[in-house]
Structures are given as structure tokens and as C-alpha cells.
Amino acid sequence: MTQWSPEQFTKAQLAGIEALVGLTGKAFECFQHVTELNLQTMKATLAETQEGLEKVLSVSNPQELLALQMESISPATERALAYRRQFIEILAATRTEFDKVGEVQYTAGKQGLHDFIASVTSKTQAGPAAPLAAWQEALNATTMFYESLHATAKQAAQVAESSFNNVSQAASSGARRRTAQHSQAAAK
């Protein structure tokens, strides 16, 4: 049987540490972007709340108050949807980076296992090669299954994201339409 040399072991450990450090950096970067998005959203919300309160205090009759409330629904919906889109973009970018690192680690590990099996198979006598060949076939089948699952998961994520975007657009359009209808009704 083949033994790992100390250099190979050290190289594998360093690769794992580098991957972990890279992923930790990406996680902190994601946290920083989400924190910045939240701070921007809070600042904008405070400013809009102050402006809204000033408008409410200047209202002289209930119809104006109702019109003001209807007027604020659509922009609030738009801001919430914009926040969610930006949040999803940050998470998607981070997930993409994690996927890249995971793919590199998976490919390297798979190649190392294939090389190990090939090395063991080439050094064994004819008799024990059959179980190793069966193990190689099982590994190939598992690899194909994993890659199929990975592709299916990517497609499912894309479909879910597309569906959410369609629902968001419909909600935004509905909010604008309701605001327009209430504005027209208030004007009459």
C-alpha cells in the first residue's frame, strides 16, 4: 500500500487551512456588506419617517391623511423590495464564492482519491485488483450522482430566485396600482 509522505500530508493541511481562511474572509465580507446595507436602510428609513411625520402634522382633514397614507404605500413597498434584492445579491455573491472554493476542494479531493486508487491498483497483484476496481466503479458512480445533485440544486435555486423576482414585481405593480386607484378616488 502507498503511504502519504510528510510533505503530502503538510500540503493537504495547508490547502485546507488556506480554504478555511479564504472562506472566513468571504463570510466577514458578506457580514460587512449586510451591515452596510442595514445601516443605509436605517438612515433612509429615519429620514423618511421624519419627513412623513412632518407631512402628517401638516394635514388638516381626514381625506388628506388617507391620501398621504396611500401615497406612502407604494414607495415603502418599493424600498422593501429593493432592500430584499440587495440582500439576496450579497448572499448570492457570497454563496458563489463558497461554491467556487467547495468545487476546488471537491475536485482536488476527488483527484487525490482517484490517484490513490490508481496507485494502489497498479501496485497490487492480479487477485486483489478486482475489489479495487469495484471500489473505483463505486467511486465513479458516487461522483456522477453528486455532480447530478449539484446541478439539480443549482437549477432549483435559479427557479426559486426567478419565482421570487416575479412575485416581487407583481407585488410592486399591485401596490402602485392600488395607490393610483386610491389617489384617483381621493381626487373625486
Side-chain angles (χ1 to χ4, degrees):
M1 287 254 164
T2 357
Q3 297 279 328
W4 269 36
S5 69
E7 293 83 23
Q8 289 172 315
F9 185 70
T10 302
K11 185 178 175 183
Q13 283 183 325
L14 286 175
I17 290 170
E18 286 176 13
L20 179 63
V21 168
L23 290 175
T24 303
K26 291 298 176 187
F28 278 121
E29 194 175 299
C30 175
F31 179 75
Q32 177 184 358
H33 289 305
V34 169
T35 302
E36 289 170 357
L37 175 63
N38 287 338
L39 288 173
Q40 290 170 353
T41 302
M42 286 174 24
K43 283 175 75 176
T45 300
L46 285 173
E48 291 163 3
T49 300
Q50 180 182 358
E51 183 182 320
L53 286 173
E54 290 171 0
K55 286 181 181 179
V56 166
L57 293 175
S58 69
V59 169
S60 60
N61 62 43
Q63 288 82 13
E64 286 181 40
L65 182 60
L66 181 62
L68 185 61
Q69 287 175 335
M70 289 298 126
E71 182 181 303
S72 68
I73 289 175
S74 181
T77 303
E78 293 293 329
R79 285 189 303 277
L81 292 173
Y83 172 85
R84 191 203 185 279
R85 272 192 296 277
Q86 289 175 322
F87 184 75
I88 293 296
E89 286 172 5
I90 292 168
L91 293 182
T94 303
R95 186 191 77 218
T96 300
E97 292 298 319
F98 272 64
D99 285 348
K100 286 178 187 175
V101 171
E103 193 68 33
V104 167
Q105 291 296 313
Y106 170 74
T107 302
K110 181 176 76 171
Q111 186 61 46
L113 189 56
H114 281 288
D115 292 347
F116 176 74
I117 291 173
S119 171
V120 170
T121 304
S122 70
K123 293 181 182 184
T124 58
Q125 300 162 351
L132 289 175
W135 198 39
Q136 178 71 35
E137 287 302 315
L139 180 63
N140 289 341
T142 303
T143 300
M144 288 175 43
F145 178 69
Y146 168 79
E147 289 172 356
S148 172
L149 285 178
H150 185 67
T152 302
K154 272 187 172 179
Q155 289 174 345
Q158 289 171 345
V159 167
E161 186 175 343
S162 174
S163 295
F164 176 79
N165 288 337
N166 290 340
V167 168
S168 296
Q169 289 174 350
S172 178
S173 296
R176 275 189 247 121
R177 191 172 46 253
R178 282 190 301 277
T179 302
Q181 289 171 348
H182 288 298
S183 294
Q184 290 173 352
K188 290 181 183 179

